[in-house]
Amino acid sequence: MMDRSGNVVGVAAPLEWDDVDTDQIVPAEFLKVVEKKGMGRYLFYRRRYGQDGAERADFVLNQPAYRSAAILVAGANFGIGSSRENAVWALLDGGIRCVIATSFGDIFENNAARNALLCVRLDEPTVARLRSLARKGAAFYIDVPAQTVTAGSEVTAFQMDPHAKKRFLEGRDEVSTTLETCGPAISGYEARMPAWAHPSSVSPVE
Amino acid sequence: MGSSVLSKIWDAHAIGEDEDGRTLLYIDRHLTHEVTSPIAFEALREAGRKVRRPDLTFAVTDHNVPTHDRDLPVESGMSLRQMELLRQNARENGVMLFDYESQDQGIVHVIGTELGLTVPGITLACGDSHTSTHGVLGALAFGIGTSEGEHLFATQSLWIKRPREMRIKVNGRLHAGVYAKDVVLKIIRDMGTGGAIGHSVEFCGETVDSFSVEERFTLANMIVEGGARTAIMSPDEKVLNYVRGRRFAPKSSEWDAAAASWRELASDPGAGYDAERSFDVSRLEPQVSWGTNPAMTVGVTETVPSPADAKTERERVSIERAVGYMGLTPGMRVTDIPVEVVFIGSCTNARISDLVEAARFVRGRHVRQGVRALVVPGSQAVRAQAELMGLASVFRDAGFEWRNAGCSMCIAMNGDELKQGQRCASTSNRNFENRQGTGGRTHLVSPATAAAAAIEGRFVDVRELGRV
C-alpha cells in the first residue's frame, strides 16, 4: 500500500527469474480489453493460472505470504518487449506499487512513471540480497522522498529520475502543463516546419 | 566534433526543456493502431480535447484483424469492438484511417515506410515497440505507451529523455543463405536482451551499406529485442531512391529541396557515441532461437544448450525453464528439431524481398506432410505485388496458406495462433512464452530458414540447399 506521503509499505514478493517481458505480465489476448480497471485479473496470467484456470501453487503471488504483495523484487531486464501500458495497469490494479530490479525495459519504465508505479533500480548484489530478504518475509518500506529501501533492518539508498520522482509524489496532468508552458513553442515549430516534413495530401486508395 | 544523425534531428525538433532534464520534442508523424489507442482517445475525449494535428496522424488496423478472406465476417467480438472504436475515433478527430478493407492496409511499420509517411529527417512515434523500424530512413522514431500517445494526440509533442547513443558496426560479406535476420539475432545473442537498454542504436559498416533498405528494416526492427530504445541510420542514396515517388513523400516539385536537406543528415565522421560495438559477420551461419527470449539463439549447426553450461544459478534456472517450456533435450542438434508450423510474416520479415527469398526454397516443392505453413504479407500492397510476381502461386502450389495482411501469428490476437505444445519456425521477432498462442513454442529464424523448414519438416542449413 501507499501511505499519505507517497511511500510504499508492504510485503515484497521475490521473482526468481530474469527477463520478465511484458507478454508475461499481460498476455496479448487481454489487450483487447479497452478499460484499465480490472486489468489486475490478467496479471502474470499464464504463470498464475494453469490450463484448467486453477491457480498454480508454485507461483509466488498465489502463496499466502505474498498474496497482498505491494512490491516485486525481480532481477535483470524487467518489463522488456512490447510497449503495452497494460503491463503497468495490471501491476497497479493487482496491488503492486513498486518493482525493484537491476534494469528495466525503457518503454515500460516510461509507462510506469506516467502511472506512478515506482521502479527502483539497484545493482545485482543488492537486488539479490533484497530478494533473499523478501523470501524470508521481511517487511519492506520504500521512502520515496529520501530515496531509500528499508527491508528488515537493512537500509539501501537508490537513485531516481527526478521527473519520475515528481510524478510519483505529486501526480500531474502532463497534457495541461505542456499546453500551458510550451504552447507557443509548439506553434513556433509548426510555423517553421519544413515543407518536406508534411505528408503530401492524397486520399487513401479505397 | 561532428554530429550524429540523431543529434541533427533531435536539435531540429527540441522545442522545450524541463528542470528534470527532459526535452519536449515536436513529433512530425504519429502512427496509431487499434490496440494501444482506445484508452488514449478516451482520455482525450474525457478532457474535452481533440487530436491537435490530424493531418500528421495516421491510423491503421493491424494487430487483431483476421487474415482470412476479407469478405468473411470478423468473428471475434472484441476485435470488432477495437476496430470499430478506431473507426469512430478516427472519424471524430479527422484522422486518416487505413481500414480493414483498404488496399493500403497492413502492419503499421510496413505501410508507414511503404506509403512514404516516413521520410528522412522527421520525428515519428507509434504505440508499438517496433517503431524503431522507421529509423532506417534517417527518421528519429520512438515506440511509446498509451499515456504518451494521449499526450501526443493533444500536443503533437513528447517529453523524452535523450537516449544515449550506441554505434554498431557490421562488417564482412554474408555467406549466401545468411540474412539480415541472422545478423540481428547474432547481435542480440551476444549483447543480451538488455544490452542496449537506454540507447538509440545507429547501425553502420560495409554490411549495412550493402544491404537493401528492406534488409535494413529487419535490423532496426529487431534490435529493440536487445533492449534498444530505438534504431537509426544515416540516410544514403539507397534510402532517397526508396522514398522517391512514394504516395505521401514530397512530390517532384519539392523533391530536390527535400533531398538536399536529407543529404545533410548523415552522421559526421567525428560524431561521438556513448558506446560502440562491432561485429564481423563473414563467417556467420543461419541462426535459430532455441529458448524463450531472442538472446537464446544458436547457429543452425550448433546444439541446444544445457543447464550444466550455465555460469550462474539464475542462468541455470533460466536455461532449464526455457528448455523445458520448449520441449527440447539439452545437447540435441538444431537440425534434429522437428517443426509443425511455419509462419512467414510480421513487421520484421514480411516485405516483398522476404517473400522472394522464402520462395526460392519453396518453388517446385511441397510442404512436408503434417506441417501447417502460412504466409502473411506485411501489407495488402506487398500481397498484391507478390501476386503479380507469381510468388503467391509458388506458395499456394507448395501447400502454404496465402493470407491477407496483419500482425497475425506474431502476436496471436486475431485467431492465427499455435495450439498447446505446437512448435513453430517463425520469421517474427519474439519467442516469449505463449507469444504465438498458449503453450506455443517459437523458433525465430530468417524467411529462408522458415521456408526450408516447411519443406523438410525440421530445421536445415539453407546454405547447403544450393538455392541461393
Side-chain angles (χ1 to χ4, degrees):
Chain A
M1 58 172 287
M2 189 159 73
D3 70 18
R4 215 173 291 166
S5 56
N7 299 322
V8 180
V9 192
V11 170
L15 283 188
E16 304 295 352
W17 71 99
D18 292 335
D19 299 308
V20 177
D21 56 75
T22 56
D23 272 82
Q24 290 180 46
I25 303 174
V26 181
E29 62 184 285
F30 304 119
L31 302 184
K32 292 184 188 174
V33 176
V34 291
E35 281 103 33
K36 296 184 200 178
K37 243 192 182 157
M39 204 76 80
R41 84 184 78 133
Y42 310 119
L43 179 62
F44 290 116
Y45 196 84
R46 302 266 167 251
R47 297 239 175 201
R48 199 162 189 170
Y49 304 102
Q51 282 177 61
D52 54 357
E55 282 192 0
R56 298 171 53 133
D58 63 349
F59 184 70
V60 64
L61 294 177
N62 289 337
Q63 292 158 10
Y66 299 108
R67 270 188 187 279
S68 61
I71 297 147
L72 292 181
V73 190
N77 308 324
F78 189 91
I80 52 168
S82 157
S83 65
R84 60 190 69 166
E85 199 160 320
N86 310 56
V88 170
W89 300 329
L91 284 162
L92 287 168
D93 195 59
I96 305 297
R97 312 294 311 178
C98 170
V99 182
I100 299 172
T102 58
S103 58
F104 293 93
D106 285 321
I107 302 178
F108 176 86
E109 200 171 356
N110 274 335
N111 289 339
R114 283 177 164 75
N115 291 276
L117 172 72
L118 187 61
C119 291
V120 172
R121 199 186 292 105
L122 288 164
D123 61 24
E124 164 58 26
T126 311
V127 172
R129 216 163 47 242
L130 292 175
R131 246 192 336 262
S132 120
L133 286 164
R135 267 180 232 125
K136 292 174 190 146
F140 274 59
Y141 175 73
I142 294 139
D143 183 331
V144 177
Q147 295 183 201
T148 56
V149 177
T150 305
S153 57
E154 183 167 334
V155 183
T156 311
F158 62 90
Q159 299 292 309
M160 196 176 178
D161 173 73
H163 178 75
K165 182 173 180 174
K166 224 173 283 171
R167 287 292 286 253
F168 187 82
L169 293 174
E170 297 162 17
R172 358 180 230 188
D173 174 10
E174 193 166 43
V175 173
S176 305
T177 314
T178 303
L179 291 172
E180 280 160 25
T181 58
C182 301
I186 295 170
S187 307
Y189 175 88
E190 288 175 334
R192 64 173 189 272
M193 187 170 165
W196 50 257
H198 289 269
S200 48
S201 49
V202 180
S203 315
V205 172
E206 288 306 324
Chain B
M1 199 167 105
S3 300
S4 65
V5 53
L6 180 143
S7 297
K8 294 177 189 184
I9 301 173
W10 184 275
D11 293 346
H13 292 82
I15 54 172
E17 270 182 35
D18 71 7
E19 66 277 18
D20 303 325
R22 299 184 312 155
T23 300
L24 187 67
L25 270 195
Y26 193 87
I27 302 297
D28 298 317
R29 213 71 89 241
H30 185 184
L31 307 180
T32 190
H33 61 81
E34 78 280 20
V35 172
T36 55
S37 71
I39 292 176
F41 275 116
E42 183 57 30
L44 198 67
R45 188 178 301 112
E46 279 172 12
R49 299 189 177 107
K50 291 224 164 188
V51 172
R52 178 185 176 93
R53 293 298 301 263
D55 57 326
L56 304 179
T57 308
F58 296 85
V60 63
T61 47
D62 59 357
H63 278 61
N64 65 28
V65 298
T67 57
H68 57 46
D69 193 332
R70 294 270 136 117
D71 297 331
L72 295 173
V74 178
E75 279 161 23
S76 158
M78 293 290 255
S79 289
L80 258 184
R81 179 151 181 240
Q82 283 187 334
M83 291 163 72
E84 182 49 34
L85 276 174
L86 187 62
R87 252 170 236 140
Q88 274 175 26
N89 288 328
R91 202 181 310 123
E92 210 174 291
N93 286 278
V95 167
M96 191 180 286
L97 166 66
F98 306 107
D99 208 349
Y100 187 50
E101 295 83 9
S102 165
Q103 290 170 41
D104 292 331
Q105 185 270 347
I107 306 173
V108 63
H109 308 308
V110 176
I111 68 159
T113 54
E114 183 176 270
L115 292 172
L117 291 168
T118 315
V119 296
I122 63 165
T123 48
L124 177 149
C126 173
D128 187 277
S129 56
H130 292 106
T131 306
S132 57
T133 314
H134 305 264
V136 168
L137 301 185
L140 180 53
F142 290 103
I144 56 173
T146 297
S147 298
E148 287 178 298
E150 179 203 346
H151 188 275
L152 183 50
F153 280 143
T155 70
Q156 201 57 36
S157 62
L158 288 174
W159 286 104
I160 301 186
K161 226 169 96 182
R162 186 170 176 147
R164 291 191 292 276
E165 290 194 67
M166 177 187 288
R167 182 163 61 177
I168 296 184
K169 273 188 198 159
V170 187
N171 287 316
R173 197 191 154 97
L174 287 178
H175 196 287
V178 185
Y179 298 90
K181 179 62 160 287
D182 301 303
V183 172
V184 74
L185 280 169
K186 168 69 175 159
I187 293 173
I188 297 164
R189 169 186 176 181
D190 285 4
M191 298 203 326
T193 57
I197 282 181
H199 290 81
S200 167
V201 169
E202 182 178 330
F203 284 100
C204 66
E206 60 188 38
T207 316
V208 179
D209 292 342
S210 74
F211 276 160
S212 68
V213 170
E214 292 197 349
E215 290 175 296
R216 296 175 192 176
F217 286 143
T218 302
L219 279 187
N221 172 282
M222 220 181 138
I223 197 65
V224 299
E225 310 310 334
R229 182 74 182 87
T230 189
I232 196 163
M233 298 187 201
S234 291
D236 59 6
E237 292 305 311
K238 280 186 188 170
V239 165
L240 266 58
N241 288 333
Y242 176 92
V243 171
R244 187 167 199 156
R246 296 201 178 257
R247 185 120 45 93
F248 291 90
K251 293 289 166 284
S252 50
S253 55
E254 299 158 347
W255 178 261
D256 290 346
S261 301
W262 295 342
R263 288 192 177 99
E264 303 288 313
L265 287 171
S267 293
D268 300 327
Y273 296 86
D274 302 291
E276 303 233 24
R277 298 292 299 259
S278 69
F279 292 85
D280 179 351
V281 295
S282 51
R283 288 204 257 171
L284 186 70
E285 56 176 304
Q287 303 287 301
V288 179
S289 78
W290 58 268
T292 52
N293 71 53
M296 291 176 160
T297 291
V298 291
V300 70
T301 64
E302 295 180 65
T303 56
V304 173
S306 160
D309 305 336
K311 290 178 215 76
T312 64
E313 173 59 13
R314 276 175 93 77
E315 192 189 351
R316 192 192 63 75
V317 169
S318 146
I319 295 175
E320 195 170 69
R321 180 171 173 105
V323 168
Y325 179 86
M326 293 296 290
L328 299 170
T329 310
M332 76 187 286
R333 285 190 305 210
V334 168
T335 47
D336 287 337
I337 300 175
V339 165
E340 299 162 274
V341 178
V342 171
F343 171 64
I344 297 176
S346 90
C347 57
T348 310
N349 277 128
R351 295 179 182 81
I352 193 70
S353 56
D354 296 314
L355 303 193
V356 167
E357 288 308 312
R360 285 182 201 279
F361 295 87
V362 171
R363 191 168 280 112
R365 304 193 61 190
H366 200 276
V367 168
R368 184 110 176 160
Q369 197 173 5
V371 173
R372 178 191 180 196
L374 54 165
V375 180
V376 182
S379 68
Q380 292 299 77
V382 168
R383 179 180 149 98
Q385 192 181 349
E387 283 174 351
L388 277 177
M389 289 169 73
L391 299 175
S393 46
V394 169
F395 287 114
R396 275 203 205 97
D397 293 349
F400 277 79
E401 298 170 30
W402 178 249
R403 315 286 295 214
N404 283 286
C407 297
S408 182
M409 203 185 272
C410 174
I411 190 163
M413 290 184 73
N414 72 332
D416 300 342
E417 61 182 11
L418 298 180
K419 296 190 188 96
Q420 180 73 35
Q422 257 184 342
R423 185 180 301 287
C424 178
S426 177
T427 68
S428 58
N429 42 52
R430 288 187 175 136
N431 52 346
F432 299 148
E433 289 182 17
N434 309 300
R435 171 80 180 184
Q436 294 193 289
T438 307
R441 295 160 169 165
T442 304
H443 295 273
L444 303 173
V445 290
S446 72
T449 297
I455 304 302
E456 303 293 338
R458 64 181 177 89
F459 290 111
V460 286
D461 186 344
V462 293
R463 293 173 302 177
E464 290 173 357
L465 297 177
R467 289 197 166 223
V468 279

